[in-house]
Amino acid sequence: MKWDGHTHSEFCPHGSGEDTELFIRSAIKQGMTDYSITEHAPLPPDFLARCAGAQKAIDTAGISINDVEPYLNKMNKLKQKYRSQLNIHIGFEVDYLSDYENWTRDFLNEYGLYSDHSILSLHFLPGSGGYRAIDYSAEDYQQGIVSFYGSFQFAQEAYFGMMRHLVKSDLGIYKPTRIGHMTLCRKFKNYFTKEDTGFSAKTEQLIDYFLNEVVIGEYALDYNTSGMFKDWCREPYPPDKLTSLAVKKQIPLVFGSDAHFSKDVGRGYERFERWSAPDTQNS
Ligand code: ZN
Ligand code: FE
């Protein structure tokens, strides 16, 4: 099995706009057997009104509610068209928003039946002026999150505190069973040259709680390689130290390129393969 479990489509407002068919053809060329299309689910309008910071980050975070059905229809057509060459799975990358669990549960109840499996990710945290996107730009992260919490470490602790809520949240029977890029708070870590961007004792404890909840809830983790190619990050989500912990706890990892461009499908797969070779699991 060779599976890219996290990719986007032409419906993504911050994507390349290329036809999803190009992504699929690339996956087939690379010998993938399975391919998940996990488009950003819509965000509650009331939530968007309470966001601050870079307007573009807010406006392009998810697809419009009017695009949900066209998205599902188009992806289902592609799934049928390519069914002899690739197992295409259709779903969403759903945002965890602690104040909007009911809204999210309603969305999942409405569309869960029409999707195969989805990812639950954290892209927003309370910050300066309201909710802030955490993955838009280094400057926006610095202004909205790091300065709000006081340091990179405090921000990281706030992120993992919220990740625990994410795992434990009741989003109903269609709650996604995989958790997206579990260390997205590290996307801009190399920008903070004067700060400690490692893992404080408190962060390590929060991560341990988080991973234990992942085990209890029988979730899988997105082994997301996109961070490896970001200038300020240069590590996968999660980095080796945490991947090793997850492997020890026998948490299933699913490779995800998080491709928003067709050229990025399957990117970094060899890094993921290291973790499936039995003799590297304890290193
Ligand atoms: Zn995206
Ligand atoms: Fe994401």
Side-chain angles (χ1 to χ4, degrees), residues 126-167:
S128 311
Y131 294 103
R132 301 285 299 233
I134 63 166
D135 63 341
Y136 183 67
S137 72
E139 293 76 11
D140 191 55
Y141 190 68
Q142 147 67 31
Q143 289 159 15
I145 300 290
V146 172
S147 71
F148 180 79
Y149 290 99
S151 71
F152 185 90
Q153 278 304 327
F154 288 149
Q156 191 165 247
E157 289 164 14
Y159 173 87
F160 283 108
M162 193 60 90
M163 287 298 271
R164 260 183 94 194
H165 289 298
L166 174 153
V167 203

Side-chain angles (χ1 to χ4, degrees), residues 152-215:
F152 185 90
Q153 278 304 327
F154 288 149
Q156 191 165 247
E157 289 164 14
Y159 173 87
F160 283 108
M162 193 60 90
M163 287 298 271
R164 260 183 94 194
H165 289 298
L166 174 153
V167 203
K168 294 176 80 160
S169 62
D170 172 15
L171 298 180
I173 58 165
Y174 294 109
K175 183 178 177 183
T177 52
R178 191 167 7 127
I179 295 165
H181 39 61
M182 66 162 272
T183 52
L184 189 65
C185 63
R186 299 176 60 72
K187 181 171 181 179
F188 304 114
K189 69 178 174 48
N190 297 340
Y191 177 81
F192 298 90
T193 48
K194 293 194 180 92
E195 293 215 35
D196 169 18
T197 56
F199 297 97
S200 65
K202 171 130 190 241
T203 300
E204 284 195 342
Q205 193 182 51
L206 289 167
I207 290 172
D208 196 56
Y209 290 151
F210 165 75
L211 291 175
N212 290 340
E213 294 293 346
V214 169
V215 172

Side-chain angles (χ1 to χ4, degrees), residues 104-122:
T104 309
R105 193 184 307 111
D106 288 348
F107 174 82
L108 288 165
N109 284 341
E110 190 165 352
Y111 295 104
L113 203 58
Y114 307 101
S115 54
D116 304 316
H117 39 76
S118 292
I119 297 176
L120 188 59
S121 299
L122 183 60

Side-chain angles (χ1 to χ4, degrees), residues 4 6-12 14-32 34-39 71 74-75 78 82 85-86 88 257-267:
D4 193 334
H6 184 161
T7 70
H8 293 272
S9 73
E10 76 255 34
F11 287 88
C12 180
H14 57 262
S16 66
E18 292 164 281
D19 197 301
T20 307
E21 206 155 353
L22 297 173
F23 292 62
I24 291 170
R25 288 200 198 123
S26 168
I28 293 169
K29 232 183 235 161
Q30 294 177 54
M32 297 270 174
D34 290 76
Y35 186 81
S36 301
I37 307 165
T38 50
E39 197 47 80
Y71 163 70
K74 164 99 193 239
M75 300 311 134
L78 293 174
Y82 287 97
Q85 297 168 77
L86 188 65
I88 297 174
S257 68
D258 208 345
H260 289 73
F261 292 80
S262 64
K263 66 170 176 48
D264 296 338
V265 169
R267 189 163 67 155

Side-chain angles (χ1 to χ4, degrees), residues 61-81:
I63 64 173
S64 135
I65 194 85
N66 301 321
D67 271 345
V68 170
E69 284 180 19
Y71 163 70
L72 291 171
N73 290 338
K74 164 99 193 239
M75 300 311 134
N76 269 302
K77 270 191 198 123
L78 293 174
K79 179 177 175 157
Q80 291 312 317
K81 179 170 177 186

